[in-house]
Amino acid sequence: MDLVLDADQRRFRDEVRAFLQDALTDGLRAGQSRVIGVYPEPDVSLAWQRKLFERGWAAPTWPVEHGGTGWTALQRFIFECECAQAGAPLLYPIGIRLVAPVIMAFGSPEQQARWLPRILSGEDYWCQGFSEPGAGSDLGSLSTRAVRDGDEYVINGSKMWTTHAHHANRMFALVRTREAERPSDGISFVAIDLDTPGVEIRPIISIGGDHDVNQVFLSDVRIPAENLIGEENRGWVYAKYLLEFERGYGLFSGRLRASLRRAEAALKAPATPAQRRRIAEVAMELDVFEMLELSVVGTLPNGAAPGPVSSVLKLRASRLKQAVTQLGVELLGADGVRRVEGSPGNILVTDYLNARAATIFGGAAEVQLGIIAKALGGL
Amino acid sequence: MNLALSDEQQLFADGIGRFLEKRYAFEHRRQMVAEQRWGDPAIWSALAELGCFGIAVPETAGGFGGGSVEIGLMMRALGRHLAIEPVAAAVVAGTLLGGTEGADDLIEALIGGEMRLAPCFDLVCGVSGVSGSARSLAGGHAAHGLLAACEQSLHLVDPADVRVTPVPLLDDTIGVDVVAEDAPSRRLEVGADWPRHRALAIARGQLARAWQALGVLEGALDATTAYMRERRQFGRPLGAFQTIQHRVAEMTVAAKEAEVAAMLGALVLDAAGPGADAERALSAATGRIAAASAIVAETAVQLHGGMGVSDELDISARFRHLQAFRFRAEAVEQPVERYAEAVVASGAHHHSAVLVEA
């Protein structure tokens, strides 16, 4: 067991640094520094994705045959760490990191050929149709229905809290295709083109005052049956697979450290001893979380799902996001109540407000605790 | 970089774990604590045979040349079984002696388990002898010799030449208060790299206590989850109640965090040696293991109900050990203050804690 980078690993890190030096513009950095929601706006993230795509680095988690880098988990860790350190935009993960593993594992070769290259290039921008007005933490009780009609499905219902649906051209969605004794048994996993007639997207304004999420209404939306991913009524299995990637496959420690730097940069005077103590408390948690990510994600074989420990990662990452953003507002002192549009202080306040969602989306903290107790505690 | 244990590391850890599982009965420990003993001489000899006291001594000095990971794995196993013997003191002593010349007799006796040494960093080594005082010194009650690790030199002091008062400590061990006034000593030869050896010994002491606490708290978590499966109230197992499940899950998360915190401390100390990076990692590790200790210890006692506040099970002993670890760490090592003044003040926390330069 040792932490020392060997010659190959150092060479790789230097290669990443050289690329960042060359490709990362001030404009892209500034775009990332203004992020107040979960992801940057597409003009920022897609501009960066195109540069990575040209370099062949847009999908560090994908195998080579689909256009991924084929990197080891450790290389990916180094890559994410260097990108965050340099202030590079966060890549929009819904396509690359969430739906793509499902398409690779359960989609047909035709679906893989149709969707994966366009996810990689950024031509397609996916959103995630899981939650509904009546199905949040109890996702299995969802009621959006898909009825088979010839070689089509007709979909009716609505999806809630759909992040970036207003930017997306495709949505993957969980829909009910059968009434079953166990609600989760009758669910299927489908892809919906958002320009299909009957799709209506309405904004939901967040606690921070901005527009990140939406409600998506689906009224007699007809999709071709070939948009079914995997087998009918097996969607819950694919959703759980996806959620492991959502919860335990991101590498957040570098991003959290960047948030901490941003929070400290807004200080008008050098930090007082009391402020340094508060910063230390958060930074110590962050150091240990970084080791947690490295030891869990950094040792996974490329493309492998992390398993139930992903709930520990999700819980820690979401609580740390809240701790870092709360520190940001604390450091503003009395100015933490000012909301002057575009000011550095308001970015921190908005980020703090929106970070409350971190322990709710992707399975609320209470859901994660339940999974941890059962899967890791044997209760 | 490689995050898997080597075969040798795994074998060493398994060997100690198996031995303690078989030989370290809680009932026997209870008796030793009631009689205010330092530990069990037979266990001490057996630990010597397993290589526990040579692990911190470099091979060039006659030891087994283990690193932080080996030390950590050993301390974790000892913590899991709530061993009271002063092995952490032996780790520090072995590290200190590794920086000496001509102390082969001491090293051999330490590794063989014939000589127990209590290292002390609070004494002053003057021309007329060793002076000063220390409180609650770990391993002092069992010691055949005190190792006064001063800034410029290392001295072996016979306990008969100083005033030693045994003090029962919160973690069920016996510490000593030491008062020395110009005590005679054997001065051990140290080289120019002595400050580095001394710093390494201090770091390893901190690391050893942290890994020991990790073992203690992992034992508390396992005992609690087992008890939640067995114990029935209101007609069902306690573990069937969601409020219990969530509290056990919080313990599980805390224990996982403590585990990786301990790894962080060990791996950075091995990669970078004693210095700023290691101090940062050890402060973070100590601080977060202390926080995890509070969660695990308090929840373990609470969920055990009446049994948790009795001395019937080992849970109360685990509580006492973990709180002793916390109180000592927060008062002596002051991880948050140190991190604030050394790491935050320099801006080092703006960079990765794990991608350190060797």
Side-chain angles (χ1 to χ4, degrees):
Chain A
M1 229 185 202
D2 74 88
L3 271 188
V4 183
L5 298 181
D6 65 27
D8 282 345
Q9 291 160 345
R10 278 202 308 276
R11 202 173 312 119
F12 174 76
R13 182 198 58 194
D14 294 342
E15 204 185 330
V16 173
R17 282 184 183 170
F19 168 74
L20 287 166
Q21 186 85 39
D22 190 40
L24 186 59
T25 61
D26 289 346
L28 287 168
R29 260 198 215 98
Q32 176 63 26
S33 73
R34 284 193 301 269
V35 172
I36 48 170
V38 186
Y39 313 122
E41 292 296 290
D43 60 333
V44 175
S45 65
L46 286 177
W48 180 234
Q49 185 171 335
R50 272 191 292 278
K51 297 211 174 201
L52 290 170
F53 178 66
E54 283 163 21
R55 185 69 172 77
W57 287 357
T61 54
W62 291 16
V64 177
E65 65 260 34
H66 291 300
T69 54
W71 286 340
T72 63
L74 182 58
Q75 283 177 307
R76 187 164 83 87
F77 184 89
I78 294 169
F79 175 74
E80 295 292 347
C81 195
E82 293 294 334
C83 284
Q85 191 70 26
L90 182 67
L91 276 196
Y92 179 71
I94 305 272
I96 293 173
R97 223 184 67 222
L98 299 196
V99 75
V102 174
I103 295 171
M104 287 178 206
F106 307 108
S108 65
E110 187 277 330
Q111 288 172 333
Q112 292 175 359
R114 177 151 55 112
W115 289 321
L116 292 178
R118 295 174 60 88
I119 290 174
L120 197 61
S121 65
E123 288 162 275
D124 280 353
Y125 198 90
W126 291 68
C127 61
Q128 180 178 19
F130 275 22
S131 293
E132 295 183 3
S137 289
D138 181 15
L139 187 59
S141 72
L142 60 89
S143 63
T144 292
R145 207 162 299 273
V147 179
R148 185 74 185 240
D149 180 22
D151 51 9
E152 289 181 325
Y153 285 101
V154 184
I155 301 176
N156 278 286
S158 96
K159 291 293 172 181
M160 195 78 178
W161 316 120
T162 318
T163 305
H164 284 201
H166 55 302
H167 299 309
N169 64 332
R170 291 186 209 281
M171 174 164 78
F172 57 90
L174 296 178
V175 293
R176 183 160 302 289
T177 39
R178 192 181 74 191
E179 293 304 326
E181 198 171 316
R182 271 207 338 199
S184 57
D185 282 348
I187 291 172
S188 297
F189 196 111
V190 298
I192 302 171
D193 289 354
L194 291 180
D195 58 3
T196 314
V199 177
E200 192 202 338
I201 297 166
R202 283 189 212 156
I204 301 173
I205 299 304
S206 73
I207 185 172
D210 52 320
H211 174 202
D212 228 16
V213 298
N214 306 274
Q215 184 166 6
V216 180
F217 295 89
L218 304 163
S219 313
D220 288 329
V221 173
R222 290 183 164 269
I223 63 164
E226 71 228 32
N227 278 16
L228 173 74
I229 296 174
E231 291 173 44
E232 203 176 75
N233 300 318
R234 296 264 299 157
W236 190 249
V237 176
Y238 314 144
K240 283 207 295 197
Y241 184 75
L242 180 145
L243 285 171
E244 277 184 28
F245 286 95
E246 178 169 359
R247 290 166 183 164
Y249 214 56
L251 289 168
F252 301 106
S253 50
R255 298 292 164 180
L256 289 165
R257 208 177 284 287
S259 294
L260 183 62
R261 282 198 300 272
R262 184 170 77 172
E264 288 179 56
L267 277 172
K268 293 199 176 83
T272 63
Q275 286 172 329
R276 282 204 294 271
R277 230 194 105 101
R278 281 288 297 124
I279 294 167
E281 285 171 348
V282 175
M284 289 161 75
E285 281 196 55
L286 190 46
D287 287 359
V288 171
F289 177 70
E290 193 185 3
M291 188 71 221
L292 176 64
E293 275 194 336
L294 179 64
S295 71
V296 175
V297 188
T299 55
L300 279 176
N302 195 299
V309 73
S310 60
S311 289
V312 178
L313 287 167
K314 158 76 163 80
L315 195 69
R316 289 299 305 150
S318 57
R319 287 177 174 174
L320 256 169
K321 173 74 186 171
Q322 293 177 345
V324 171
T325 54
Q326 183 178 323
L327 175 66
V329 176
E330 270 177 48
L331 293 180
L332 291 173
D335 280 359
V337 298
R338 291 163 64 89
R339 301 213 62 190
V340 181
E341 188 76 34
S343 68
N346 194 41
I347 288 176
L348 295 178
V349 174
T350 310
D351 198 25
Y352 159 72
L353 291 169
N354 287 337
R356 303 317 300 177
T359 48
I360 298 168
F361 63 65
E366 290 72 16
V367 172
Q368 306 310 324
L369 289 171
I371 294 171
I372 292 163
K374 288 189 179 74
L376 302 178
L379 295 184
Chain B
M1 186 187 287
N2 171 12
L3 294 172
L5 291 179
S6 70
D7 291 346
E8 290 80 12
Q9 287 168 337
Q10 193 67 59
L11 277 173
F12 178 63
D14 290 350
I16 295 170
R18 263 198 312 275
F19 165 76
L20 293 169
E21 186 68 47
K22 207 157 39 178
R23 292 276 305 277
Y24 212 91
F26 185 68
E27 282 312 310
H28 178 49
R29 177 194 188 275
R30 190 202 303 277
Q31 198 185 335
M32 288 195 291
V33 173
E35 291 167 6
Q36 299 211 343
R37 284 159 57 188
W38 65 268
D40 181 342
I43 294 279
W44 193 262
S45 301
L47 291 174
E49 274 170 40
L50 286 165
C52 293
F53 309 134
I55 208 73
V57 182
E59 280 175 294
T60 48
F64 311 134
S68 305
V69 176
E70 287 81 6
I71 292 168
L73 292 170
M74 169 178 78
M75 294 310 300
R76 184 191 204 172
L78 290 160
R80 174 164 276 270
H81 294 274
L82 283 170
I84 54 172
E85 286 73 10
V87 180
V91 165
V92 177
T95 308
L96 291 170
L97 291 176
T100 61
E101 295 281 340
D104 295 354
D105 56 327
L106 285 179
I107 291 176
E108 204 182 313
L110 171 84
I111 294 175
E114 293 99 40
M115 192 165 193
R116 285 184 294 278
L117 296 167
C120 184
F121 295 88
D122 299 330
L123 301 176
V124 180
C125 305
V127 276
S128 52
V130 174
S131 302
S133 65
R135 276 173 82 78
S136 318
L137 184 68
H141 190 45
H144 302 103
L146 300 178
L147 271 183
C150 300
E151 283 182 19
Q152 304 300 332
S153 57
L154 181 66
H155 297 251
L156 178 68
V157 179
D158 188 330
D161 291 326
V162 295
R163 191 139 43 84
V164 175
T165 316
V167 192
L169 300 180
L170 179 60
D171 62 4
D172 294 345
T173 65
I174 312 289
V176 292
D177 291 347
V178 177
V179 180
E181 285 166 20
D182 289 335
S185 71
R186 171 177 162 194
R187 187 188 170 113
L188 305 171
E189 281 308 312
V190 296
D193 60 350
W194 170 245
R196 193 184 168 281
H197 272 283
R198 187 174 180 272
L200 180 63
I202 292 172
R204 282 183 170 177
Q206 187 174 353
L207 186 81
R209 285 185 292 276
W211 276 83
Q212 187 175 14
L214 170 66
V216 174
L217 72 83
E218 286 176 327
L221 170 65
D222 287 353
T224 305
T225 50
Y227 192 62
M228 292 303 97
R229 283 193 291 267
E230 286 159 21
R231 169 79 173 162
R232 297 177 72 87
Q233 290 286 274
F234 306 102
R236 43 184 182 146
L238 284 177
F241 293 90
Q242 193 175 46
T243 183
I244 302 289
Q245 289 173 1
H246 284 195
R247 297 201 68 178
V248 169
E250 295 285 8
M251 291 172 79
T252 307
V253 173
K256 186 72 192 165
E257 203 194 350
E259 182 193 353
V260 295
M263 276 171 62
L264 176 71
L267 294 176
V268 175
L269 180 57
D270 271 357
D277 284 338
E279 272 194 41
R280 169 187 178 184
L282 285 169
S283 291
T286 300
R288 296 312 300 164
I289 294 173
S293 293
I295 292 170
V296 173
E298 285 153 23
T299 315
V301 166
Q302 177 67 23
L303 296 189
H304 273 82
M307 294 302 280
V309 289
S310 77
D311 220 18
E312 298 289 311
L313 301 177
D314 66 9
I315 287 299
S316 52
R318 291 187 186 277
F319 182 92
R320 291 193 296 274
H321 183 105
L322 292 171
Q323 300 300 2
F325 168 75
R326 278 182 63 206
F327 298 158
R328 189 193 174 286
E330 278 158 22
V332 179
E333 276 135 12
Q334 302 187 318
V336 181
E337 285 76 5
R338 247 206 253 174
Y339 195 104
E341 293 317 315
V343 186
V344 175
S346 73
H349 67 302
H350 289 168
H351 299 273
S352 168
V354 302
L355 297 178
V356 292
E357 301 286 334

